[in-house]
Amino acid sequence: DEAFPAVELAKSVGRAGATFPAVYNAANEQAVEAFHEGRLGFLGIVDTVRAVVDLHESPQELTVETLAEAEAWARRTADRLIAAE
């Protein structure tokens, strides 16, 4: 839905499964924090999360370790994208 792009993105992430939901969540947390700190505009939240999800390549094997690595990667990537704005 064009009015709520985050909803459709969340649905697609849920369908993709694997580490994508963790990446979505971690990127969202970083973007929302940046918004609250005045470093990112409101509309930049979804744009940042989408960019991080688009860059993500899920590992072949889903383990606690690969999940933690994907989450850490998503946070670093979101922070890098936000800093570049």
Side-chain angles (χ1 to χ4, degrees):
D1 189 293
E2 289 182 33
F4 302 101
V7 173
E8 189 54 42
L9 181 57
K11 287 179 183 179
S12 69
V13 162
R15 286 188 297 269
T19 54
F20 281 96
V23 164
Y24 175 97
N25 184 63
N28 186 63
E29 287 178 359
Q30 296 305 109
V32 169
E33 180 180 318
F35 168 72
H36 285 295
E37 293 173 351
R39 297 183 292 120
L40 185 67
F42 181 73
L43 298 178
I45 295 171
V46 174
D47 292 341
T48 299
V49 174
R50 179 179 289 114
V52 173
V53 168
D54 287 348
L55 290 169
H56 181 57
E57 295 180 15
S58 192
Q60 293 294 326
E61 185 179 0
L62 183 60
T63 65
V64 172
E65 291 79 18
T66 58
L67 193 59
E69 289 169 6
E71 181 180 9
W73 171 87
R75 290 182 190 283
R76 288 190 310 272
T77 302
D79 287 344
R80 181 175 47 82
L81 293 173
I82 292 163
E85 293 235 347

